[in-house]
Amino acid sequence: MNNAYNSQSFWEREELSADWDLLIVGAGIVGSSIALFYKEKNPEAEVAILERGFHPYGASTRNAGFSCIGSMSEHLADFGLAGKNTVLNRIERRWNGLQLLRATLTDEESGYEHTGGIEIFTRNDLFERCAGSIGEMNRLVYEKTGLKDVYSVTEYRGYKAITNRVEGALNSGRMMKSIHRRLSKAGVTIFWNSEVIKTSEHGVQLKDGYYIKAKNVVVAANGFTKSLADVPVKPARGLIFITKPLKKLGWKGTFNYNEGYVYFRNIGNRLLMGGARDIARDEETTHHFGVNPKIHDYLVQFTNEVVRLEAGWEIEMEWSGIMGMTPNKEPVIEKTDSGVFVAAGLSGMGVAIGMQVAKDMVQILENSTEGA
Ligand SMILES: Cc1cc2nc3c(=O)[nH]c(=O)nc-3n(C[C@H](O)[C@H](O)[C@H](O)COP(=O)(O)OP(=O)(O)OC[C@H]3O[C@@H](n4cnc5c(N)ncnc54)[C@H](O)[C@@H]3O)c2cc1C
């Protein structure tokens, strides 16, 4: 028995590190939503989240806030990677996830705005290929989701472009704050500054030595899952910067470029710009936060040469976030051989699919309890 455990009081041992019904590692959108949906179904259950940061410290509060089902060039590239069926199921999951998000939180609580999404092109061959596939894509998306004529050709600020009429954007910080308020009302406990170093079927070991027992343990640590569970989820770092307020910003809404690798949007009269992980993929396979100068320089150049902000614009803040990627971009939602549950590998789409993944995880938990 270690020192920290020895130093616990009787009350702490009996009530705080005793048998929780459900312990979740990670207070991002997935872990928090699992807690919320599980508690809705099991109001009497003792549910707690262990989060290593004093607020979530992964991707959910560090992303771009696009509420998107994906661009034409992204889908066509993914057809090659994962096959048509998988990609169409993913579009359906993204759409369902966004609907669930908007049914769970009010638009005020998430800061959601319906903007539509626009993919811009600088390469004619890629534009022609994407534009030529719109008819088929619209038909397939309609069959999956019931949404008609999602994609159409347009022009935006002199660029050939394809719009997606069903997309929007939200305020990621406000969304997470609102989910945590809901958790507090629902009676879910969140232990902040609590880093888990080991998990098992019966509980978790904290960095400071405490062991907390639980009937079920779910790892929802996404890009940080590797040390906690044996699943094929790799970290992938993403970079974002936001400009100081601009006198004139012609771009309004959400935009992406090159298979969704580059994305930008207006936040009032500031520009948020991010992505370009594809130009340094190996270096960005890391769970360490940080700015890759190569990517920074690429995004600055893109802002000057493609977005063409007026000269003199300045970056106000720059940050990175860590995604969890799987080989075919499908999330891992399962009970592992060790008996620990895992919901991770949202592959850069967690705003869209996060709540749906959480709902699926809760169903797996329910089925496993029924089967026990
Ligand atoms: C730069 C960037 C831009 C993005 N833009 C978009 C977008 O526009 N639209 C979109 O749909 N998706 C976007 N994403 C992806 C989306 O943010 C993620 O898919 C989603 O937030 C994943 O949620 P999560 O809860 O699974 O993981 P996270 O939000 O990463 O949550 C995991 C939590 O686990 C905690 N944790 C980790 N290890 C431990 C441990 N050992 N002990 C305790 N706690 C631990 C972390 O601190 C973290 O809070 C973006 C991601 C990044 C990085």
Side-chain angles (χ1 to χ4, degrees):
M1 212 180 278
N2 59 53
N3 288 339
Y5 194 74
N6 273 340
S7 73
Q8 269 193 314
S9 76
F10 172 77
W11 316 113
E12 287 163 353
R13 191 192 70 188
E14 295 299 303
E15 294 294 333
L16 296 173
S17 54
D19 242 355
W20 291 85
D21 292 307
L22 180 62
L23 269 188
I24 298 158
V25 184
I29 184 171
V30 174
S32 303
S33 305
I34 291 171
L36 191 64
F37 298 146
Y38 189 83
K39 192 75 178 158
E40 270 173 14
K41 288 201 163 190
N42 305 278
E44 302 304 322
E46 294 270 21
V47 179
I49 303 179
L50 297 149
E51 165 58 50
R52 65 181 182 159
F54 84 94
H55 57 54
Y57 197 44
S60 297
T61 50
R62 308 179 73 79
N63 60 44
F66 283 45
S67 315
C68 54
I69 63 165
S71 65
M72 280 298 297
S73 69
E74 178 186 350
H75 295 325
L76 294 188
D78 284 351
F79 278 179
L81 193 72
K84 243 182 212 176
N85 267 346
T86 305
V87 175
L88 289 166
N89 288 339
R90 183 180 301 154
I91 293 172
E92 185 183 20
R93 190 197 281 279
R94 286 168 87 161
W95 177 245
N96 290 345
L98 289 170
Q99 297 305 102
L100 181 59
L101 173 64
R102 293 187 66 203
T104 305
L105 300 179
T106 64
D107 288 351
E108 175 65 26
E109 283 175 309
S110 66
Y112 178 83
E113 280 177 65
H114 193 81
T115 54
I118 296 184
E119 173 172 25
I120 59 160
F121 295 83
T122 53
R123 270 177 46 204
N124 213 31
D125 58 332
L126 184 60
F127 171 74
E128 292 300 339
R129 198 155 65 81
C130 291
S133 304
I134 284 179
E136 191 200 358
M137 186 68 79
N138 278 344
R139 181 178 60 74
L140 293 170
V141 171
Y142 174 67
E143 281 166 15
K144 269 285 165 201
T145 63
L147 294 164
K148 271 193 182 150
D149 301 328
V150 169
Y151 298 96
S152 56
V153 166
T154 186
E155 216 183 271
Y156 196 88
R157 297 185 69 79
Y159 290 104
K160 289 190 168 158
I162 295 178
T163 64
N164 175 328
R165 68 174 183 85
V166 301
E167 298 191 333
L170 51 72
N171 176 328
S172 308
R174 194 187 301 166
M175 171 188 77
M176 288 312 303
K177 197 157 80 177
S178 301
I179 299 177
H180 291 149
R181 283 206 180 117
R182 295 283 183 97
L183 290 178
S184 161
K185 275 194 197 143
V188 170
T189 302
I190 307 184
F191 295 108
W192 300 104
N193 292 314
S194 300
E195 183 169 345
V196 172
I197 54 167
K198 210 169 167 197
T199 60
S200 80
E201 192 178 1
H202 307 294
V204 304
Q205 178 81 50
L206 296 192
K207 195 178 179 188
D208 63 10
Y210 287 115
Y211 184 82
I212 309 186
K213 286 193 261 171
K215 293 195 180 75
N216 287 308
V217 173
V218 178
V219 174
N222 205 30
F224 307 91
T225 303
K226 196 172 183 295
S227 60
L228 301 171
D230 186 19
V231 288
V233 177
K234 279 192 185 168
R237 186 169 61 185
L239 181 67
I240 289 183
F241 66 67
I242 190 160
T243 65
K244 289 184 176 171
L246 300 157
K247 282 201 192 80
K248 226 169 81 189
L249 176 61
W251 300 80
K252 300 273 183 241
T254 61
F255 302 89
N256 54 71
Y257 174 77
N258 182 26
E259 299 174 13
Y261 277 113
V262 175
Y263 42 85
F264 54 103
R265 60 181 276 202
N266 76 299
I267 309 276
N269 59 346
R270 297 166 193 269
L271 183 81
L272 178 150
M273 167 67 64
R277 186 175 57 86
D278 57 315
I279 68 164
R281 204 184 287 267
D282 288 346
E283 293 154 59
E284 297 309 289
T285 306
T286 172
H287 62 265
H288 297 291
F289 293 103
V291 172
N292 183 329
K294 211 193 289 180
I295 294 181
H296 165 95
D297 290 350
Y298 174 90
L299 291 176
V300 168
Q301 192 180 353
F302 183 87
T303 306
N304 281 322
E305 293 177 5
V306 179
V307 180
R308 297 185 195 130
L309 289 190
E310 277 185 2
W313 66 272
E314 287 179 78
I315 293 175
E316 182 168 312
M317 291 175 77
E318 187 168 35
W319 66 88
S320 66
I322 310 296
M323 295 170 269
M325 307 296 293
T326 63
N328 66 356
K329 293 170 73 174
E330 285 298 287
V332 173
I333 316 168
E334 65 181 36
K335 185 175 188 179
T336 61
D337 292 345
S338 70
V340 171
F341 294 84
V342 175
L346 282 82
S347 302
M349 301 171 279
V351 172
I353 64 174
M355 284 201 175
Q356 187 59 46
V357 166
K359 203 128 232 178
D360 293 350
M361 183 77 259
V362 169
Q363 194 54 53
I364 292 173
L365 283 163
E366 297 279 299
N367 293 347
S368 121
T369 316
E370 278 162 22

